[in-house]
Amino acid sequence: MKIRILGTAAGGGLPQWNCGCEGCATARRTGAVRSQDCLAVSADGSAWYLVNASPDLRSQLLAAPELAPPPGTRATPLRGVLLTSGELDHTLGLVTLREAAELSVHATAPVRTALHEAFPVGPLLAPYTKARWHTVAAGQPVELAGGLVAEPLALGGKRPRYAADPAGLPAGDPAAERADWVVGYRFTEAGGRARAVYAPGLAAWTPALDRAVADADVVILDGTFATDDELAERTGGARTSRGMGHLAVADSLPHLVRRPGPRYLYTHLNNTNPLAHRGSPEAAALAPALAAAGAAVAEDGTLLDL
Ligand code: MLT
Ligand code: MN
Ligand code: ZN
């Protein structure tokens, strides 16, 4: 199994276009930038799947040689997209894929509904490409090309802000109440032994996630905020990390310590998170605790060969 980490920042990226905070200013000055959270995965190294479609997708695809079409062809190695949420930072890139001859998109029922109603990228794409939409459900593994198997893990009921108003969905629509607005995926390979978990939005450490990480080689997980009160401290607001559907690094680390073995990589880092800034004093101070848990911060462009 191969995994290309295409982007590691939360929505807005690093630097964020309208932010002049110390971290964003440093990123502008040094060029140590992060693009928005996105992943590519393949069991056989030939058939690749995107997990999420970030707003930075075009430049992310151009930077990944294995995702280029063979010279003289339009035979993209991309077989489809799996979505972990309907958030804009995970779905705006679907528009970038409109040149594809055909496009398979896998999403949970509430996300699929949202992407045809509140944010109608489904109907928008229809005149451009032959899109095929597939509903995935927690605990029901999906068999994909190249021997890749993806098992969705239900991780939370947090809706995207654009779909926050239940009145925005048709009356009585069960999508309004679903707990699988946010999922992770456990990837395995037919006939192989590599196992990987990707969970960039993690509201809580669920029993299904706990089971999934137990035998994983690599776990790429939610590193949006370092602490639960980080955003409130840095911006003066009242929103907690947990309240935004993100378990802070300080709160997931004890679970990592309890489940040693996998290589843990934190992704989807917000620009307020000191861990997003390589070499910052705060990141250096947190490094020993991360290392003790077998964890590190994911970096854009990393290729994992499992
Ligand atoms: C999230 O990860 O919580 C969302 O992407 C936030 C946003 O709306 O940008
Ligand atoms: Mn996000
Ligand atoms: Zn900033």
Side-chain angles (χ1 to χ4, degrees), residues 6-113:
L6 295 171
T8 58
L14 177 71
Q16 182 170 311
W17 68 276
N18 63 342
C19 188
C21 77
E22 199 185 321
C24 287
T26 304
R28 279 189 190 89
R29 196 179 64 247
T30 62
V33 302
R34 290 178 187 274
S35 64
Q36 294 163 85
D37 178 59
C38 198
L39 201 80
V41 58
S42 173
D44 65 355
S46 301
W48 286 83
Y49 286 83
L50 286 176
V51 197
N52 294 323
S54 98
D56 300 318
L57 190 55
R58 181 174 175 277
S59 50
Q60 292 171 332
L61 292 176
L62 295 185
E66 65 281 359
L67 301 180
T73 76
R74 284 200 171 182
T76 171
L78 282 182
R79 292 288 178 277
V81 184
L82 301 152
L83 297 174
T84 66
S85 77
E87 296 286 353
L88 293 176
D89 60 343
H90 283 156
T91 55
L92 278 170
L94 290 172
V95 175
T96 295
L97 297 173
R98 68 190 177 283
E99 292 91 359
E102 51 182 43
L103 185 64
S104 279
V105 185
H106 302 258
T108 63
V111 169
R112 193 174 158 179
T113 300

Side-chain angles (χ1 to χ4, degrees), residues 184-249:
Y185 290 96
R186 177 177 185 265
F187 292 106
T188 51
E189 47 186 8
R193 57 152 302 280
R195 301 179 182 102
V197 173
Y198 178 52
L202 191 54
W205 194 272
T206 65
L209 178 72
D210 201 52
R211 281 193 299 276
V213 305
D215 63 0
D217 302 293
V218 174
V219 178
I220 303 168
L221 78 164
D222 191 342
T224 310
F225 301 109
T227 56
D228 200 44
D229 56 4
E230 173 188 309
L231 198 64
E233 261 177 18
R234 299 212 169 204
T235 63
R239 290 193 295 176
T240 63
S241 173
R242 217 178 276 257
M244 295 179 68
H246 298 290
L247 190 65
V249 170

